[in-house]
Amino acid sequence: MRVRLEDVARATGVSPKTVSRVLNEESSVKDSTRQRVLAAMESMNYRPSPSARGLAGSRSFLVAMLYDNNNNPASTYLAEIQDGVLDACDAHRYSMMACPLRMRGQDFIRRVDALVSDHHIDGVIVTPPLTDYPALLKRLQEHGVPHASISPLHREGTIGVCMDEQQAAKALVTHLIELGHRRIAHIVGIANHGASRWRLAGYKEALATAGLPNDPDYVVQGEFTFGSGVMAARQLFALPVCPTAIFAANDDMAAGVMWAANERGLKVPRDLSVCGFDDTPLATQLWPPLTTVRQPSREMGKLAALQLMEKLRGRGTGLLVQVPYSLELRESTSVAP
Amino acid sequence: MRVRLEDVARATGVSPKTVSRVLNEESSVKDSTRQRVLAAMESMNYRPSPSARGLAGSRSFLVAMLYDNNNNPASTYLAEIQDGVLDACDAHRYSMMACPLRMRGQDFIRRVDALVSDHHIDGVIVTPPLTDYPALLKRLQEHGVPHASISPLHREGTIGVCMDEQQAAKALVTHLIELGHRRIAHIVGIANHGASRWRLAGYKEALATAGLPNDPDYVVQGEFTFGSGVMAARQLFALPVCPTAIFAANDDMAAGVMWAANERGLKVPRDLSVCGFDDTPLATQLWPPLTTVRQPSREMGKLAALQLMEKLRGRGTGLLVQVPYSLELRESTSVAP
DNA sequence: ATGAAAGCGCTAACAA
DNA sequence: TTGTTAGCGCTTTCAT
């Protein structure tokens, strides 16, 4: 029926343990033996049983991707990350489970415990904003489960992937300044999210570098949603002196700004330049297309998973790798009126 | 260390097998015994090991959600479905694995084989357009793995969830007719997808019912993407007599239509009414907000998973349940010019 | 309605 | 470098 490790052993004329060693890429196997075993595995189409491996051993070859179910970033972002993680899993014969976590209350603790003790999860991919929930990270550490983070706020001792978002935001705002804008507003994302902090910092840095004043009226709080972008924009439009450009901390809010501009009869980019961050599909589907910063989300998911596996396989400790951003200059920004 | 089934047995004063029976909800256990066992499980915080169950038994309590990785519907749609599936899994102590399938070539056969024989997957949730790939369904059947489908084209003998998309499309187009439109165009989705067929059929039915002619020039092929919506709209605008309303088979293409309208200087809805299908977040983020049909995607994912589990638990055979649609009438449609 | 024994397919700890 | 033995925690027979 099913081809077992023992069958491979018999066919090769070695002990089951040796086959196990080959399977687990242990070094203490003579090369010729390894080749024979691998050949037999291949020809017999042997596939190890994850259940048996999980039961007998300490590893499950399962990783979990954790995401916040309340405070969700755009679902397209998560979907891309997930695809990237799956790419990496595929390549290294790991399987992935998707695990939305409701972070209200202590429910998530039980969920994490269940994951770890039930499924023997080998490691975890943590997506924003979970990357900076101390209670979660602490629990993972208590279980001794390694994790890789995507765009973590606190980077010391963390493995995974990040992008220089502050630099990207600065470049974007600098572009606005070069277009002649002097009254540039910023809509901040959810407070304490790394993304919000970096993008705000980049905005301030660009203004400071250009010697422009940092008018507190021009910094409005949002919460990464389309609706909050609309509200924030209305607030800015109500100011005695309107900004000529608005940098929203993500594309959804930027879309909200453009919506509010339409509502008010402002023509983008003639009367108002707008830009966002993330380069979601939405960015090119708006009219006019949105100037934004491209994040290679899928690649980031893949890289984070690779770092995790690097650590799991004990080949190294894993790194925090940095991916490049790119400015997508489109029609929603132009010279200041 | 870990609480095992045996520990629960000892604490309750019964044999391990009896605890196993309780765990698996077998009927042949005296009610008082069952209560005592359940109480002990609870108080000892017993959690069965999926690995051990998978290894010893025939079930894994794992379901896989399959989706097409090339021919992806909007990722927000899949993400919502996935959340719904996870809701149901949570409630019934199943776990879920997400499995993108590359359907080019025969690669997917190997992937499915691997899933089934490696992980002993108990059942599968199939999302469009996978619901109607005969080779995939055949393979699942050969493995004896039950599946539940979301919006399958062929409904006989299928369990899962569906919506009366034709009726919904008819209602939408009828609404346009009531607004006075007589020249109504339709942009079709990818050929052979159930969604494309039903929506087209609903469009035709509405025209026929109203006694309007079915002008073939007004039916243009798209492929569910924003870009294809733009192209299709340009094609329609180039017609000697332009339509006054366009019904795109999904929101992404409708967004493309609005983009093309902007490009051409047409004002929506003054010069042109536009409507879509799905009610993705995009619909309310466009200017003007898009008239569309709401699909309760998350609920659909949940219901499909519930039907699957119904079948897995042998309580019944599972059904194909129908969910209601709702028309979301917004500002992108108005009276004919 | 309940229990005893065997074993699922693999790895751990030890041996050789 | 390779093999032996004993389990991992549960479910399956088959008994009672």
Side-chain angles (χ1 to χ4, degrees):
Chain A
M1 186 65 197
R2 179 189 180 92
V3 181
R4 291 159 308 156
L5 183 141
E6 194 192 332
D7 303 325
V8 177
R10 200 152 25 218
T12 327
V14 299
S15 78
K17 180 61 204 174
T18 298
V19 179
S20 171
R21 281 194 251 265
V22 172
L23 187 60
N24 292 291
E25 303 182 2
E26 289 174 30
S27 49
S28 59
V29 179
K30 197 168 35 165
D31 211 52
S32 63
T33 312
R34 179 197 314 285
Q35 297 309 332
R36 275 168 42 227
V37 171
L38 285 173
M41 283 179 168
E42 174 80 300
S43 75
M44 301 174 80
N45 192 26
Y46 168 68
R47 334 191 103 275
S49 150
S51 299
R53 295 228 271 179
L55 184 56
S58 50
R59 294 179 301 173
S60 63
F61 296 89
L62 227 58
V63 301
M65 175 177 144
L66 268 36
Y67 59 95
D68 186 330
N69 211 24
N70 309 318
N71 240 338
N72 234 316
S75 60
T76 58
Y77 173 73
L78 283 180
E80 281 188 31
I81 298 270
Q82 178 176 303
D83 280 338
V85 171
L86 282 165
D87 287 343
C89 287
D90 253 29
H92 292 262
R93 299 184 152 266
Y94 273 78
S95 300
M96 189 208 77
M97 306 189 48
C99 302
L101 251 38
R102 279 172 274 285
M103 297 302 292
R104 303 189 201 280
Q106 296 295 302
D107 162 74
F108 76 95
I109 295 262
R110 295 193 44 235
R111 297 263 306 175
V112 169
D113 290 355
L115 258 183
V116 174
S117 64
D118 294 2
H119 289 283
H120 294 293
I121 291 290
D122 285 344
V124 160
I125 303 287
V126 189
T127 57
L130 261 40
T131 47
D132 294 284
Y133 286 1
L136 172 61
L137 302 183
K138 179 161 162 268
R139 197 65 181 166
L140 289 175
Q141 193 158 29
E142 284 165 2
H143 280 296
V145 178
H147 69 274
S149 298
I150 293 175
S151 299
L153 180 50
H154 301 293
R155 299 183 172 183
E156 319 79 47
T158 303
I159 70 169
V161 61
C162 63
M163 207 182 83
D164 193 338
E165 300 196 18
Q166 177 168 345
Q167 189 63 38
K170 181 183 176 188
L172 195 58
V173 174
T174 300
H175 173 69
L176 293 173
I177 295 171
E178 285 166 358
L179 285 172
H181 293 278
R182 291 296 171 268
R183 299 195 306 279
I184 303 172
H186 179 53
I187 305 177
V188 188
I190 296 179
N192 293 324
H193 282 209
S196 311
R197 292 203 195 170
W198 295 316
R199 296 167 196 187
L200 173 60
Y203 161 78
K204 286 187 174 168
E205 194 187 340
L207 293 190
T209 303
L212 294 176
N214 179 8
D215 185 340
D217 282 349
Y218 283 174
V219 176
V220 184
Q221 189 65 44
E223 43 190 27
F224 281 138
T225 62
F226 175 81
S228 71
V230 174
M231 306 285 273
R234 285 180 183 150
Q235 200 174 322
L236 289 168
F237 295 154
L239 252 30
V241 182
C242 273
T244 63
I246 299 179
F247 163 41
N250 75 348
D251 289 350
D252 279 356
M253 293 197 295
V257 171
M258 287 176 57
W259 200 93
N262 270 306
E263 180 187 53
R264 201 183 169 83
L266 294 173
K267 190 94 177 154
V268 174
R270 195 196 57 198
D271 308 318
L272 178 75
S273 284
V274 179
C275 56
F277 205 106
D278 287 344
D279 198 27
T280 58
L282 182 60
T284 46
Q285 300 180 4
L286 292 168
W287 182 273
L290 187 67
T291 290
T292 188
V293 173
R294 171 155 171 66
Q295 268 202 87
S297 313
R298 181 165 182 159
E299 191 62 20
M300 290 173 79
K302 186 171 175 177
L303 286 169
L306 287 176
Q307 292 313 309
L308 178 62
M309 288 165 194
E310 201 75 3
K311 183 160 187 176
L312 292 180
R313 300 197 153 200
R315 296 199 185 293
T317 51
L319 303 168
L320 184 64
V321 301
Q322 191 172 74
V323 296
Y325 61 82
S326 65
L327 255 47
E328 303 293 331
L329 304 178
R330 306 207 178 97
E331 288 72 39
S332 69
T333 47
S334 72
V335 292
Chain B
M1 186 64 196
R2 179 189 180 93
V3 182
R4 290 158 310 154
L5 183 142
E6 194 193 331
D7 303 324
V8 177
R10 199 150 28 214
T12 327
V14 298
S15 77
K17 178 61 207 174
T18 298
V19 179
S20 171
R21 281 193 252 265
V22 171
L23 187 61
N24 292 292
E25 303 181 1
E26 289 173 30
S27 50
S28 59
V29 178
K30 201 172 26 166
D31 210 51
S32 62
T33 313
R34 180 197 311 288
Q35 297 309 332
R36 276 169 40 227
V37 171
L38 286 173
M41 283 178 168
E42 174 80 298
S43 75
M44 301 175 79
N45 192 26
Y46 168 68
R47 331 191 106 275
S49 151
S51 299
R53 296 228 270 179
L55 183 57
S58 50
R59 294 180 301 174
S60 63
F61 296 90
L62 228 59
V63 302
M65 174 178 146
L66 268 36
Y67 58 96
D68 187 329
N69 211 24
N70 309 319
N71 239 338
N72 234 316
S75 61
T76 59
Y77 173 73
L78 283 179
E80 281 187 32
I81 299 271
Q82 178 177 303
D83 280 339
V85 171
L86 283 165
D87 287 343
C89 287
D90 252 29
H92 293 261
R93 299 183 152 266
Y94 273 77
S95 299
M96 190 208 76
M97 306 190 48
C99 302
L101 250 39
R102 279 171 275 283
M103 296 302 293
R104 303 190 199 279
Q106 295 294 303
D107 162 73
F108 75 95
I109 296 263
R110 296 193 43 234
R111 296 264 306 174
V112 169
D113 290 354
L115 258 182
V116 174
S117 63
D118 294 3
H119 290 282
H120 294 293
I121 290 290
D122 285 343
V124 160
I125 303 287
V126 188
T127 57
L130 261 39
T131 47
D132 294 284
Y133 286 1
L136 172 61
L137 301 182
K138 179 160 162 269
R139 197 66 182 164
L140 289 174
Q141 193 158 29
E142 283 164 3
H143 280 296
V145 178
H147 69 273
S149 298
I150 292 174
S151 297
L153 179 50
H154 301 293
R155 298 183 173 183
E156 321 77 47
T158 302
I159 70 170
V161 61
C162 62
M163 207 182 82
D164 193 339
E165 300 195 18
Q166 178 168 346
Q167 189 62 38
K170 181 183 176 188
L172 194 58
V173 174
T174 299
H175 173 68
L176 293 173
I177 295 171
E178 286 167 357
L179 286 172
H181 293 278
R182 292 295 171 268
R183 299 195 306 279
I184 303 172
H186 179 53
I187 305 177
V188 188
I190 296 179
N192 293 324
H193 282 210
S196 311
R197 292 204 196 170
W198 295 316
R199 296 167 196 186
L200 173 60
Y203 161 79
K204 286 186 174 168
E205 194 187 340
L207 294 190
T209 302
L212 293 178
N214 180 9
D215 185 340
D217 283 349
Y218 283 174
V219 176
V220 184
Q221 189 65 44
E223 42 190 27
F224 280 139
T225 62
F226 175 82
S228 71
V230 174
M231 306 286 272
R234 285 179 183 152
Q235 200 174 320
L236 288 167
F237 295 154
L239 252 30
V241 183
C242 273
T244 63
I246 299 179
F247 163 41
N250 75 348
D251 289 350
D252 280 356
M253 293 197 295
V257 172
M258 287 177 56
W259 200 94
N262 269 307
E263 179 187 54
R264 201 182 169 84
L266 294 172
K267 190 93 176 156
V268 174
R270 195 195 57 198
D271 308 319
L272 178 75
S273 284
V274 180
C275 56
F277 204 107
D278 288 344
D279 198 27
T280 58
L282 182 61
T284 45
Q285 299 179 5
L286 292 168
W287 182 272
L290 187 67
T291 290
T292 188
V293 173
R294 171 154 170 66
Q295 265 202 91
S297 313
R298 182 166 182 159
E299 190 63 20
M300 290 174 80
K302 186 171 176 178
L303 286 169
L306 288 176
Q307 293 312 311
L308 178 62
M309 288 165 194
E310 201 75 3
K311 182 160 187 176
L312 293 180
R313 299 197 155 201
R315 296 199 185 292
T317 51
L319 303 167
L320 184 64
V321 300
Q322 191 172 75
V323 295
Y325 62 82
S326 65
L327 255 46
E328 303 293 332
L329 304 177
R330 306 207 178 96
E331 289 71 38
S332 69
T333 47
S334 72
V335 292

